[in-house]
Amino acid sequence: MLRGVLFDLDGVLVDSLASIGACFNHALQTLGRPPLTLTSLRPLIGPPLEESAQSVIGDDPQLLARFIAAYRERYAATSVDETRPAAGLVEVVTELAQRTELAVATSKPEVYARPILAGLGVAHLFKAICGRSLALDVEPKAAVIARALHSFAGRAEGLVMVGDRRHDVAGAQVHGIPTIGVLHGMGSEDELRAAGARWLAADLRALPGLLREIEAEL
């Protein structure tokens, strides 16, 4: 039977493109770099921030530290107000929490993830909200998922991951957890299929019905 569902955050539970994009461009402009369009920024959302920053500004440690500091200064002040819920967030998560246990496993620092979910009124519906620390260690998604598994007695059986990027699929695969790729986020259908997502869902509202089908398979 279905024991629980793990969710990524950005692009899955929340629409954070505008919020993250504004902070990313603020950091670029702090370094004297031109801002990027939201279309250009979309593929950068999902991996650890330092990984995405390096792909744009290079791997100079001093530049990276300045970028991260500027990004976090703005993000800490604005993320709760600027992050929007994914369509159907409250209804879907409320329904699913009545059926099974839910947790969040995100590459966003946990210190930001918790207030965002609290501000959207759904934090209490998750038995665990696991994210990264503020260390710039490019921690892989699999390590975050490992911490979330503590809330499920350390066992992956009967769990499903919901993600929007290849990093979510790969991180879940390390633990033998199959992934539902959602198509309303930052990644494409091609990316999710190539990464090995077992199922695809158009959006959050498609999850309750799909999970009923999946539960019949487990």
Side-chain angles (χ1 to χ4, degrees):
M1 65 180 292
L2 185 67
R3 294 177 55 234
V5 182
L6 306 178
F7 287 89
D8 180 43
L9 181 59
D10 293 310
V12 176
L13 296 174
V14 301
D15 177 0
S16 51
L17 179 59
S19 173
I20 291 176
C23 294
F24 204 100
N25 280 333
H26 168 73
L28 285 176
Q29 291 172 303
T30 297
L31 299 182
R33 306 290 184 93
L36 300 176
T37 66
L38 290 183
T39 300
S40 299
L41 283 164
R42 180 179 288 274
L44 302 178
I45 298 175
L49 176 61
E50 60 270 35
E51 180 181 321
S52 296
Q54 285 175 338
S55 71
V56 176
I57 66 172
D59 57 4
D60 182 296
Q62 291 184 336
L63 277 181
L64 182 62
R66 288 174 57 199
F67 178 96
I68 297 293
Y71 177 97
R72 286 179 173 171
E73 179 183 27
R74 188 185 188 283
Y75 195 73
T78 63
S79 58
V80 172
D81 291 332
E82 292 183 349
T83 301
R84 305 269 70 85
L89 173 68
V90 174
E91 309 95 277
V92 170
V93 174
T94 299
E95 177 182 346
L96 294 182
Q98 294 171 351
R99 292 167 45 188
T100 191
E101 294 183 322
L102 311 178
V104 173
T106 174
S107 290
K108 185 188 300 297
E110 197 171 306
V111 69
Y112 302 136
R114 288 181 175 277
I116 286 172
L117 289 168
L120 294 174
V122 294
H124 66 287
L125 296 172
F126 297 95
K127 68 178 303 185
I129 298 173
C130 299
R132 296 178 60 208
S133 72
L134 292 171
L136 302 181
D137 54 7
V138 199
E139 182 183 51
K141 190 61 175 276
V144 181
I145 293 173
R147 289 197 292 278
L149 285 179
H150 291 314
S151 297
F152 295 92
R155 294 170 44 235
E157 295 84 4
L159 301 183
V160 174
M161 178 78 194
V162 181
D164 68 325
R165 299 300 310 273
R166 58 183 176 83
H167 309 78
D168 303 318
V169 182
Q173 284 175 338
V174 169
H175 302 283
I177 301 172
T179 299
I180 298 171
V182 291
L183 302 179
H184 66 281
M186 307 302 171
S188 67
E189 179 176 347
D190 287 345
E191 175 184 337
L192 289 163
R193 286 191 185 279
R198 187 177 300 183
W199 307 278
L200 294 175
D203 51 31
L204 282 185
R205 291 194 172 106
L207 286 182
L210 177 57
L211 285 168
R212 279 191 287 270
E213 296 176 13
I214 291 171
E215 189 165 20
E217 298 176 19
L218 297 177

